[in-house]
Amino acid sequence: MNAPPRPKPSSPCTKVCILDAVTGLCEGCGRSRNEIALWGSMSEPQRLAVMALLPERLRQAYPHRIDEGR
């Protein structure tokens, strides 16, 4: 028997992968370089915990950015 396919890990990636030299954050999703590098080895609860922080992190890092419905 074949095992059911594993679900794809949750990801906040927006395909705008630009690391800001000042903040150290990805301008698209708000993750740090370290978080991006470790993402595949994180558990789903760890990923969800980081993703919960990202909207506020982006608001603080880029206060003048127009909210695009995120």
Side-chain angles (χ1 to χ4, degrees), residues 29-53:
C29 68
R31 291 180 291 172
S32 68
R33 179 185 304 269
N34 191 46
E35 288 166 339
I36 293 167
L38 295 174
W39 201 254
S41 63
M42 287 181 176
S43 68
E44 185 66 5
Q46 289 172 316
R47 287 190 289 266
L48 293 173
V50 171
M51 289 187 338
L53 303 172

Side-chain angles (χ1 to χ4, degrees), residues 43-65:
S43 68
E44 185 66 5
Q46 289 172 316
R47 287 190 289 266
L48 293 173
V50 171
M51 289 187 338
L53 303 172
L54 298 178
E56 181 60 23
R57 187 185 289 176
L58 284 169
R59 274 192 291 279
Q60 289 183 10
Y62 307 107
H64 301 293
R65 181 184 282 184

